[in-house]
Amino acid sequence: MNTQIKKGLLEYCVLSQLQGGESYGYQMIKDISEYISISESTLYPILRRLEAEGLVQTRNVEHNNRIRRYFSLTEEGKMRLHDFVAERYELIRVIDFISGKEQKRDE
Amino acid sequence: MNKKIFLDRLKKNLKELKPAEIHKHLNYYEELFSDMIENGLSEAEATAKIGTPEKIAEEILENAAVEEFRERDTVGRVLTGMSIVFVVIAVLAKVCGWVLPMSFSTSSTGTSIGIIGGADGPTSSFVAGKVGEPVALYALAATMITMTIIYKIYRRNKK
C-alpha cells in the first residue's frame, strides 16, 4: 500500500485498536498486523504523535520487574475515531472515483 | 546481537538528539525487546525482527522534529574555547614568569619595568617580582571559567 495513505490509516488503526482497552507496544503490533503490516519502528512515531496531539494517554505499569507503557484512548481520541468512522463514506467515494466507479452526476 | 549491544548502538546513532528524546526511544525498544523475549523469541530473532540499530536510528532521525535535536551551543563553545585559551596563556605566563623576571633582573636593571616609576634600589626588585606575576591574566582566566560554568548551568536549567 502507498506509504503516505498507509501512514494516515495506521493512526486510525491504533486508535481503533485501543477502543478495546489499553494496550502496549508489542501487543498492538501483533493485533494490528493481522489487518495491515506494521513494523516496530513505524508504530512508535505514530504513538508519539497521537500522544502529542492528546488523542492517547500513557501510564507506566510494572511488569516482571520492568516498566511497560500502556496506551489508552482519551476522550479526544475517541471523538477523532468517531469522526473518521462517520465520514468513511467520503473516503469510499474518493476511492470509487479513483477507481473510475463514480458516475458524473451533473451533466 | 543481544539487547544490550542493540541499545548501545542505537544510542550511539541517536546522539544528535536531546538526551531526553534518546531516552524515550531507548525505553521503547527496550520494552519491545523484553516483550518479544517474553513471547518466546530469542535475542537474535528479536533483533532480526526489529532491524539494525543503524537503520532504526536513521528512521528516527528522519522523522524527528527540529526541537528534538540537540541545539548547537555556539556561545557555550566559544566560552569554553576562550576559557581554555586563557588558562593556557596564564599557565604559560606563570612558567615564563619564573624565567622572565630573572632574565630581566640579570640583563637589565629594575628600571626596565617603567610602569611603576620611582621604584629604585631594593624596592625595584620587589615590584618587578610582583609585576612578573600575571595577576590580571589569572583573573581573566578565572572570570572566563566562571562565566562558562554559569552559562552552562543557566542553559541546562532553561531546558
Side-chain angles (χ1 to χ4, degrees):
Chain A
M1 201 185 291
N2 177 297
T3 48
Q4 295 278 18
I5 293 170
K6 194 176 162 183
K7 223 175 170 180
L9 283 178
L10 277 176
E11 285 193 12
Y12 290 105
C13 288
V14 171
L15 291 178
S16 164
Q17 215 265 311
L18 290 176
Q19 249 185 330
E22 59 176 7
S23 188
Y24 58 93
Y26 188 56
Q27 187 62 48
M28 281 191 253
I29 291 166
K30 281 203 293 189
D31 292 342
I32 296 169
S33 292
E34 288 179 29
Y35 302 96
I36 183 169
S37 75
I38 183 168
S39 72
E40 287 71 18
S41 56
T42 29
L43 175 67
Y44 193 45
I46 293 171
L47 288 173
R48 280 177 62 133
R49 205 161 44 236
L50 293 176
E51 195 186 1
E53 283 181 59
L55 303 178
V56 301
Q57 61 199 7
T58 63
R59 75 185 182 105
N60 291 335
V61 176
E62 208 184 304
H63 169 86
N64 278 353
N65 290 324
R66 62 185 172 89
I67 294 292
R68 206 188 236 167
R69 266 180 106 201
Y70 276 83
F71 295 80
S72 58
L73 277 185
T74 60
E75 282 308 310
E76 252 187 296
K78 282 179 196 161
M79 265 164 56
R80 179 70 67 88
L81 187 65
H82 180 266
D83 288 350
F84 179 78
V85 174
E87 291 163 359
R88 71 185 180 280
Y89 292 110
E90 265 180 55
L91 187 69
I92 293 168
R93 257 192 56 205
V94 174
I95 294 167
D96 281 348
F97 167 72
I98 294 167
S99 48
K101 279 187 195 164
E102 174 86 338
Q103 306 291 321
K104 276 192 178 172
R105 262 169 266 164
D106 26 55
E107 243 184 321
Chain B
M1 196 194 311
N2 64 29
K3 181 170 110 179
K4 198 186 171 299
I5 297 174
F6 177 91
L7 293 174
D8 281 348
R9 268 167 60 180
L10 185 62
K11 189 177 176 181
K12 225 173 101 189
N13 282 281
L14 289 177
K15 59 172 183 267
E16 288 169 51
L17 297 179
K18 285 182 182 165
E21 294 299 326
I22 297 177
H23 197 68
K24 283 185 200 164
H25 288 286
L26 291 180
N27 276 348
Y28 171 75
Y29 282 100
E30 186 163 16
E31 182 196 307
L32 214 52
F33 243 106
S34 306
D35 279 327
M36 282 177 159
I37 285 154
E38 247 180 62
N39 264 261
L41 266 74
S42 70
E43 286 204 331
E45 282 172 320
T47 329
K49 208 160 183 266
I50 294 176
T52 65
E54 287 74 21
K55 207 177 157 276
I56 301 282
E58 202 184 299
E59 232 174 288
I60 292 172
L61 294 177
E62 257 173 45
N63 291 308
V66 192
E67 58 271 17
E68 288 169 33
F69 284 89
R70 223 183 260 271
E71 287 156 54
R72 272 247 167 82
D73 184 10
T74 324
V75 180
R77 276 186 193 180
V78 169
L79 281 174
T80 312
M82 278 170 77
S83 301
I84 293 169
V85 168
F86 274 111
V87 168
V88 169
I89 292 175
V91 168
L92 280 176
K94 175 78 185 165
V95 173
C96 299
W98 288 109
V99 184
L100 279 178
M102 276 196 270
S103 57
F104 266 119
S105 55
T106 45
S107 65
S108 59
T109 53
T111 47
S112 64
I113 294 134
I115 322 154
I116 325 253
D120 272 327
T123 22
S124 69
S125 59
F126 172 71
V127 170
K130 267 224 152 161
V131 171
E133 269 310 282
V135 182
L137 259 176
Y138 296 161
L140 257 173
T143 313
M144 283 311 301
I145 293 169
T146 316
M147 271 169 67
T148 310
I149 293 169
I150 290 171
Y151 178 77
K152 295 257 173 183
I153 291 170
Y154 163 75
R155 222 178 112 81
R156 179 154 298 178
N157 291 339
K158 204 176 66 172
K159 269 177 207 166

